[in-house]
Amino acid sequence: MSERTTAPFGRRAARVLGRTEHGAYVVLRCSDPDGPVPSAGQFYMLSTAERWGGGVGERPFLPRAFSVMRARPTGAGTGPAAGVVLEFLLEDVGPGTRRLCELGAGEDLLLTGPLGIGFTAPEGGRRALLVGGGVGIAPLAIWQDELGAGTPVLLGFRDAEHAVGAGLLSAAAVATDDGSVGHHGVVTELLEAELDADAEVVVYACGPPAMLEAVRALCAERSVDAQLALESGMACGFGACFGCVVPTRDGYLRLCVDGPVLDAAVLETAIVAGAGH
Ligand SMILES: Cc1cc2nc3c(=O)[nH]c(=O)nc-3n(C[C@H](O)[C@H](O)[C@H](O)COP(=O)(O)OP(=O)(O)OC[C@H]3O[C@@H](n4cnc5c(N)ncnc54)[C@H](O)[C@@H]3O)c2cc1C
Ligand code: FES
């Protein structure tokens, strides 16, 4: 399941089919008629077909990386491509996400992907436990779709407006920093309780660097396998620029081709330079 699905060469247009708001987040649903079905944990480089860069010298210059949140094969593709409807989860944090959040049905995205290596299914009878924070819930949604809606998921958000995003997954246990929804505290407190009850799990996590580092440390302490979907600044997305390198116990890796999902055991720390927001 962690096989790399290879992207067709070059950038292609994908028509936006719908835009929905979920608290602090926007979900864009788009048609990728010439694309393959991505694996959970893979990502795409996205930009808008129009007004990407507000004018001469204005940002954003480069496409931005986004995890695929959902993928539904349409079977309408030609050749080896299956044709697929893709969903992306966006949080407006800067010029690129702001512009993407403005898109509406009928407008075009430009995308390259699917890129990178995603999650690997649990082996040896262990069950999967998903742990997400903020916009990091995106790759966990497609992973839960693949593993089954009954796969337990723990999600952390800063407040009630962001916690609305939990509705995009099935039966999530929620923690909020301000206590407005669910457990008052951080999601790793929920994880600790789960691991106390049953440590025969593989943990799959995506979220801000501090959360990922807490997950990594907790799992390392208890010898629990974990796969972490990391972030770093990405300029190309396919291995050419070396802008996304992260230090690991095995040396530097390019997160866009060797990740973004890494085995937690290869990391000294999940807090990598230039990652997250
Ligand atoms: C593999 C991968 C998957 C991702 N999936 C998603 C997703 O599903 N949804 C989503 O909303 N975002 C996702 N991101 C993050 C998104 O690509 C970045 O936040 C992107 O930089 C936003 O572009 P922008 O122009 O809006 O903001 P920028 O101007 O690039 O950043 C805005 C602010 O956020 C901070 N910041 C944001 N991202 C980074 C970073 N990577 N490194 C350093 N600082 C940063 C900066 O401090 C900056 O001030 C993903 C990133 C990666 C690498
Ligand atoms: S983003 Fe260019 S090498 Fe990874």
Side-chain angles (χ1 to χ4, degrees), residues 8 12-13 31-36 77-78 81-84:
R12 57 195 186 276
S31 164
D32 181 16
D34 299 317
T78 52
V84 60

Side-chain angles (χ1 to χ4, degrees), residues 233-244 254-257:
M234 290 189 182
C236 71
F238 44 76
C241 72
F242 285 71
C244 64
R254 284 169 297 171
L255 209 56
C256 68
V257 287

Side-chain angles (χ1 to χ4, degrees), residues 14 25 44 49 87 105 108 112 114 124 141 152 161 166 186-187 203 269 272 274:
Y25 304 108
Y44 290 71
E87 287 185 22
D108 277 348
T112 309
E161 193 197 3
V186 292
V187 70
V203 170
T269 171
V272 294

Side-chain angles (χ1 to χ4, degrees), residues 190-251:
L190 299 180
L191 174 61
E192 206 166 356
E194 284 285 326
L195 295 181
D196 284 345
D198 177 8
E200 287 300 306
V201 296
V202 178
V203 170
Y204 299 90
C206 186
M211 185 213 100
L212 286 183
E213 174 52 15
V215 171
R216 188 203 63 76
L218 198 56
C219 291
E221 205 178 281
R222 296 168 182 236
S223 303
V224 169
D225 284 348
Q227 296 176 27
L228 310 180
L230 297 182
E231 261 190 39
S232 68
M234 290 189 182
C236 71
F238 44 76
C241 72
F242 285 71
C244 64
V245 290
V246 297
T248 72
R249 296 183 204 273
D250 301 333

